[in-house]
Amino acid sequence: MLDTDQNAASAHDGLAEAMQPAAFQKAVNSWVPHDIVLKDAWFPLAHSFAVTAKPVRRSVYSQPFFLWREEEKAVAAECHPHDADRGETSAFSDARGRYPVLEHYGYVWGWYGNPANADPAHLPSIPYLPDDGNLPRHMLGTVRFDCCAPLSLENLIDLTHSDFLHADVVGDEKMDKEVVEVFYDTETITMVRTCTNKSVAPIMKWFGGVKDDVQQVRQVIRIYLRSHAAIAYGRFSPGDNVQLFHPCVPETRDRTRLDYAMNTSNVKKTNPFRYMMPKASYKVSRQDSSMTSPQSPRYMHPESRRDLHSPLDEAGQKYRVLMLALAERQARGDFAYLDNVSGDCSAIIGYDGK
Ligand SMILES: [Fe+2]
């Protein structure tokens, strides 16, 4: 039996191996995201405001999570409280059928996995959401994708898609230079895209008061692999920074729920961008859905397929390999977190508190 340190080292070595060209290409092209069910993760199941004394139902991979409050405290359980004496509970909950639950960043997070392993240390770091939530409702919203969650996230992390699919909202592909960098560990992947002299996002022209034709753009997508939750942070000059939390909760294997939060508190109260930008998610998500919903069933079964990739979608490919590596490790019974997800990631995403 290996000791913990050696286990960690060998798993890390496994990742290095998975990133070697031959293994990497094989993994990328044998990606069947519907088969991946990762356990031992916190999922942002609901905005805090949506959880009251009256139970609401959410789900993770079709497993029910009823949420409500007793006094002020959030509760997550397999059954509606009226059915709580059903008598049988799953391995994911305690003897009363209750799941580990916590409340942070304005969300109620439910633990999907072995309750004994639930630990606040595995909660993703989201630097620009207030610890206690409390953002105004116009910064919060919910959209759904008829698509498996990893495909939605893979679409997000390949941000070059936005120039084409969302050109009418966030700007087209015209720019002088584009650089994409990718950083990863066993639990996260972070993509940084730097664009020089990019066409100004139309929404910033309409509502954001930006008069220029081009702007300097730095966009970051950081995905917490197990929680299927993404940070989407954009710095625009001229323009306001965009601070979006973009979770993709797998309600079922092919349906995704996105209870998003776009913190526009940094935008002046007199600037309509503060109110309009969070609402743009409804238009943008429909555009995404038009692409990913038909894609999703095509990835349900293994087939000899060679997806076409450009050098700019390195992040999407690495996301696949990292997810497969986690799934493979869990299949061997290893559910440990080898890297920290709750440590402040401000420096990694380039967030300076403004
Ligand atoms: Fe998109």
Side-chain angles (χ1 to χ4, degrees), residues 36-291:
I36 297 177
V37 175
L38 299 176
K39 292 177 187 156
D40 285 7
W42 292 110
F43 282 101
L45 297 177
H47 291 119
S48 289
F49 77 80
V51 180
T52 64
K54 187 181 172 195
V56 290
R57 189 186 189 278
R58 297 289 194 271
S59 69
V60 180
Y61 298 115
S62 304
Q63 181 162 322
F65 278 71
F66 287 90
L67 308 174
W68 71 92
R69 289 185 194 276
E70 287 178 356
E71 307 299 328
E72 290 296 296
K73 224 171 150 14
V75 176
E78 280 188 64
C79 295
H80 189 281
H82 292 167
D83 302 325
D85 55 358
R86 193 184 54 163
E88 51 187 84
T89 57
S90 76
F92 287 62
S93 62
D94 66 14
R96 298 169 71 200
R98 295 195 170 188
Y99 301 110
V101 66
L102 58 79
E103 194 159 9
H104 204 78
Y105 297 127
Y107 287 85
V108 173
W109 302 72
W111 179 258
Y112 180 81
N114 181 350
N117 295 337
D119 187 333
H122 303 322
L123 190 76
S125 160
I126 313 162
Y128 47 71
L129 291 189
D131 287 344
D132 61 355
N134 280 328
L135 290 176
R137 290 276 286 275
H138 70 82
M139 297 181 190
L140 312 174
T142 300
V143 296
R144 294 174 181 81
F145 296 119
D146 288 318
C147 172
C148 77
L151 276 186
S152 289
L153 288 162
E154 186 190 342
N155 169 65
L156 177 71
I157 204 169
D158 171 21
L159 253 199
T160 51
H161 87 272
S162 73
D163 299 347
F164 302 94
L165 196 54
H166 314 305
D168 58 345
V169 183
V170 297
D172 61 28
E173 78 285 7
K174 294 186 190 74
M175 68 187 109
D176 289 344
K177 193 180 172 202
E178 174 178 18
V179 178
V180 172
E181 299 163 282
V182 182
F183 310 93
Y184 64 86
D185 60 25
T186 59
E187 295 290 343
T188 66
I189 181 164
T190 305
M191 190 269 329
V192 181
R193 180 191 193 210
T194 311
C195 305
T196 308
N197 297 330
K198 191 174 189 299
S199 300
V200 168
I203 194 166
M204 289 193 182
K205 280 198 166 180
W206 302 330
F207 305 111
V210 176
K211 301 276 184 283
D212 308 56
D213 290 325
V214 297
Q215 57 191 169
Q216 313 314 315
V217 180
R218 184 179 187 278
Q219 292 163 309
V220 180
I221 304 291
R222 173 172 171 81
I223 299 177
Y224 294 96
L225 302 172
R226 284 198 220 200
S227 293
H228 292 67
I231 280 175
Y233 178 57
R235 297 186 71 96
F236 298 83
S237 177
D240 285 297
N241 298 339
V242 173
Q243 310 180 147
L244 172 65
F245 177 53
H246 184 294
C248 284
V249 174
E251 288 194 301
T252 72
R253 292 195 190 200
D254 55 8
R255 190 167 160 90
T256 296
R257 180 185 177 102
L258 202 174
D259 283 318
Y260 69 83
M262 187 180 287
N263 186 350
T264 51
S265 308
N266 56 315
V267 181
K268 280 201 192 86
K269 284 192 171 151
T270 50
N271 186 341
F273 186 77
R274 179 178 170 118
Y275 308 95
M276 297 309 295
M277 189 60 193
K279 296 295 171 228
S281 299
Y282 288 96
K283 183 173 168 76
V284 165
S285 68
R286 285 191 162 223
Q287 292 170 330
D288 281 318
S289 205
S290 73
M291 297 301 292

Side-chain angles (χ1 to χ4, degrees), residues 312-333:
L312 296 177
D313 64 6
E314 174 194 348
Q317 295 187 46
K318 286 194 168 149
Y319 172 68
R320 291 183 179 190
V321 172
L322 293 170
M323 288 292 282
L324 288 166
L326 256 183
E328 195 266 332
R329 198 152 65 76
Q330 294 204 346
R332 285 189 276 111

